[in-house]
Amino acid sequence: MAVVRHTFLRYTLIMAKVKFVDIPAGLETYFGKAIQPNDRFLYSTIRVKNPFISRKKALALTQKSQLPLCSEIWATFDKSTQDLWKACGLLTGLSAFKFFVQDKVLRLKNSLSGESTPSLLYQSMVGRLHVEAPATGLLISQLHPLTYYVLRKKTGKATMYDVVEVVENFSLPLNLYINYKTNLIAVSGGYSARFYAIVYSSYQGRTIETPIDIDFDLVTDWKSASVGIGEVIGLVRGYALFLELDGVRGDVWFDNVQAVHSGQNWVRDTHCNNIKQAFTKQFFQVPAHWVAIDLPDGSYYNSEYGNL
């Protein structure tokens, strides 16, 4: 029996690995209609093609949509309220109505009644650091080497990606920004609660570490804080961002995190939609967002709805 051999490639940064699927003769057309390549980078796999949504299913989806409800509520807002939603939406790249819909859906998911009062200090999702006994702190980091690789989706292709090198050209000054709210209790004399960066540079065969930090108040409502640095010793090699709690218990909420250098903000997940997102296919050499350096029992970090 004649056999048609289809090849699916698995690409990595090191080499390409190949797997094969043997298809009996005469079934090639049916195979092409029902099956398509899936992940070519982590696993050499195939998957069923997504069929068109039937009219019946499309009607069911429409009936479950929250858009009619959101439209009715939006129409009751006066111009000043809509303008505030618009200003907050601009921070996240959404129109005023889309940002309101996002927030309303999150309220419904959290079984909350009424409508939110939008804030320029934080949006729908915020990051949260939590420490309780027996823990007395935690430390998470976001790495920023000068170069790393990501996957960029090919236009018009459902499952095809290009491997693209990202060069984070670093030039001082480096400015850090963060909006935060705290409810902490110090449990030791030398406590610390801060957002900081360490800039790594080379000078006379040594690696120089230059820190810049923003200290958090123990208890405060939402506020903004920033800090900057204009020069370091030697040739800059990269930097890393850190959120640290040490000798304290309680909570820190934060949003709109920025590390601005070379004319742009380089923080991944600046709006804290999913700060605990694990390693993904999009990032090869760095964790996608924030990675735990020290996370003892009793402590955790995550993203949550902020307009409770």
Side-chain angles (χ1 to χ4, degrees), residues 58-75:
L59 178 60
L61 290 173
T62 303
Q63 291 172 340
K64 294 179 181 179
S65 173
Q66 300 297 332
L67 288 177
L69 172 63
C70 292
S71 296
E72 292 178 6
I73 298 173
W74 180 258

Side-chain angles (χ1 to χ4, degrees), residues 106-179:
L106 288 171
R107 290 190 70 82
L108 293 173
K109 285 183 177 181
N110 286 274
S111 301
L112 298 172
S113 60
E115 316 310 329
S116 301
T117 300
S119 171
L120 294 173
L121 292 176
Y122 64 96
Q123 282 68 60
S124 299
M125 299 296 292
V126 300
R128 181 186 180 188
L129 310 178
H130 176 78
V131 179
E132 63 182 46
T136 59
L138 60 80
L139 177 65
I140 63 176
S141 177
Q142 185 174 117
L143 307 179
H144 287 264
L146 289 180
T147 61
Y148 54 92
Y149 291 87
V150 302
L151 296 185
R152 181 171 298 167
K153 190 175 181 299
K154 279 184 172 291
T155 302
K157 302 293 184 180
T159 59
M160 296 184 66
Y161 297 82
D162 287 325
V163 178
V164 179
E165 181 184 31
V166 174
V167 180
E168 189 171 333
N169 294 314
F170 190 96
S171 62
L172 295 171
L174 169 64
N175 295 302
L176 304 182
Y177 302 88
I178 191 170
N179 299 338

Side-chain angles (χ1 to χ4, degrees), residues 221-239:
D221 201 356
W222 281 98
K223 64 186 297 185
S224 298
S226 62
V227 69
I229 186 172
E231 60 181 14
V232 298
I233 299 174
L235 180 65
V236 175
R237 297 299 185 188
Y239 68 100

Side-chain angles (χ1 to χ4, degrees), residues 18 30 43-44 53 61 70 75 101 106 123 133-134 158 166 174 186 213 233 245-246 267 272 284 290 298:
V18 181
Y30 296 103
Y43 303 98
S44 180
I53 299 177
L61 290 173
C70 292
V101 171
L106 288 171
Q123 282 68 60
V166 174
L174 169 64
D213 57 356
I233 299 174
L245 300 180
D246 184 24
V267 168
C272 302
F284 281 101
W290 294 86

